[in-house]
Amino acid sequence: MAASDTFACPSSADGAEPVVCERFDALGFDGKHARLGIMGGTFDPIHVGHLACAEQVRDVFELDGVVFMPAGDPWMKRGRGVSDAEERFAMVKAAVADNPRFDASRLEIDRAGATYTVDTLRALRAHYPDNVELYFISGADAVQHILEWRDAAELSRLARLVAVTRPGYELGDARRRYMRTHAAIRDVSVIEVTALAVSSTDLREKVRSGRSVRYLVPPVVADYIETHGLYREDA
Ligand code: NAP
């Protein structure tokens, strides 16, 4: 399906609380085959690299939409001062608002306890009919650790896995071999995304040292960071 500003997906009916997200809750319930991307990340903060990357994956795999899924409690990062989940969600929601093919989900934010991708994919699989294919998209640096994730063997049965790299980033040969041969992650697609040379870590550091993040994050996100005093030395 060609990209179009007029794209409209059937959304949750009658103002009911969405299960996944407003724009794509009803995807596939008309019986038509559909593909949904799930963009997993901490998004602290979301930036133009994430957005460009989601768009490129959407285009390559002809996805009907991409749901950004901010991790509620990224347990592997405990003690590293991850920003409040509601703040990260608010920035993601604002950043995707103007694209009818993107949305943000509260699924992981609202689920208690540590965030495990397998729980999210199970919930999505339970929600959507079989004619909806799921694509879990994340950074290659994150995905290469997938064998350490909970119930890793189940992940690629629940969704197709897409790892996005940045320019110059190469998965090590050993890792690549391992990924090819290990049954749990045999089906990872690795895609190099041109615009990903920006990272959340660098952005937080820039804000902390009083430097500009303009054009590296959408204007609404820059405003949010400023208004809420995020990532400042004294925050
Ligand atoms: P991370 O360590 O923050 O990210 C690793 C790298 O990938 C960073 O360079 C990051 O860049 C990049 N990245 C992260 N998400 C991306 C995305 N959607 N698109 C492009 N690049 C991305 O990893 P994370 O963000 O915490 O985790 C990524 C996903 O894996 C999340 O959905 C998380 O829940 C899941 N995960 C699951 C388990 C588990 O189930 N046990 C364990 C770990 C992670 P930026 O810093 O610029 O974003």
Side-chain angles (χ1 to χ4, degrees):
M1 189 187 300
S4 150
D5 286 347
T6 56
F7 172 81
C9 185
S11 55
S12 17
D14 306 330
E17 271 305 297
V19 177
V20 179
C21 64
E22 282 158 21
R23 283 184 176 141
F24 304 120
D25 253 22
L27 189 71
F29 284 93
D30 56 1
K32 290 188 188 143
H33 178 258
R35 299 189 185 101
L36 182 65
I38 300 106
M39 183 79 166
T42 304
F43 302 121
D44 192 18
I46 187 166
H47 53 66
V48 294
H50 295 131
L51 294 165
C53 156
E55 178 61 11
Q56 287 175 48
V57 174
R58 190 197 64 69
D59 188 40
V60 168
F61 291 99
E62 300 184 330
L63 306 180
D64 294 277
V66 177
V67 184
F68 285 67
M69 186 70 68
D73 175 10
W75 56 277
M76 282 173 151
K77 295 185 173 175
R78 277 187 196 148
R80 284 200 256 159
V82 174
S83 303
D84 180 71
E86 291 295 346
E87 291 190 313
R88 290 183 287 109
F89 177 78
M91 290 189 280
V92 170
K93 186 78 183 164
V96 301
D98 66 355
N99 185 339
R101 289 185 185 267
F102 287 174
D103 203 351
S105 177
R106 295 190 56 88
L107 210 60
E108 292 191 350
I109 303 268
D110 289 341
R111 194 168 65 225
T115 299
Y116 296 108
T117 298
V118 72
D119 294 335
T120 305
L121 295 180
R122 281 178 189 145
L124 292 166
R125 205 52 286 168
H127 173 74
Y128 288 108
D130 290 346
N131 48 305
V132 175
E133 274 183 79
L134 302 177
Y135 289 68
F136 180 77
I137 310 157
S138 199
D141 333 26
V143 174
Q144 71 174 335
H145 293 292
I146 208 162
L147 292 175
E148 297 150 33
W149 295 9
R150 174 176 281 196
D151 296 335
E154 198 182 331
L155 292 169
S156 59
R157 290 200 294 273
L158 292 165
R160 190 154 169 189
L161 305 171
V162 181
V164 292
T165 70
R166 64 191 78 216
Y169 176 94
E170 272 296 314
L171 289 175
D173 283 347
R175 279 283 185 197
R176 203 188 282 276
R177 256 197 318 276
Y178 196 35
M179 287 173 104
R180 255 197 238 117
T181 53
H182 194 286
I185 51 170
R186 197 181 289 143
D187 297 326
V188 175
S189 306
V190 181
I191 300 211
E192 182 170 298
V193 175
T194 319
L196 205 69
V198 43
S199 88
S200 298
T201 307
D202 289 348
L203 291 172
R204 292 194 302 274
E205 188 47 43
K206 275 191 163 56
V207 176
R208 197 164 291 129
S209 49
R211 279 151 49 220
S212 170
V213 295
R214 201 170 175 198
Y215 305 123
L216 299 175
V217 297
V220 281
V221 173
D223 288 348
Y224 191 98
I225 291 171
E226 168 92 26
T227 314
H228 293 254
L230 295 187
Y231 313 125
R232 290 205 312 244
E233 203 71 71
D234 53 358

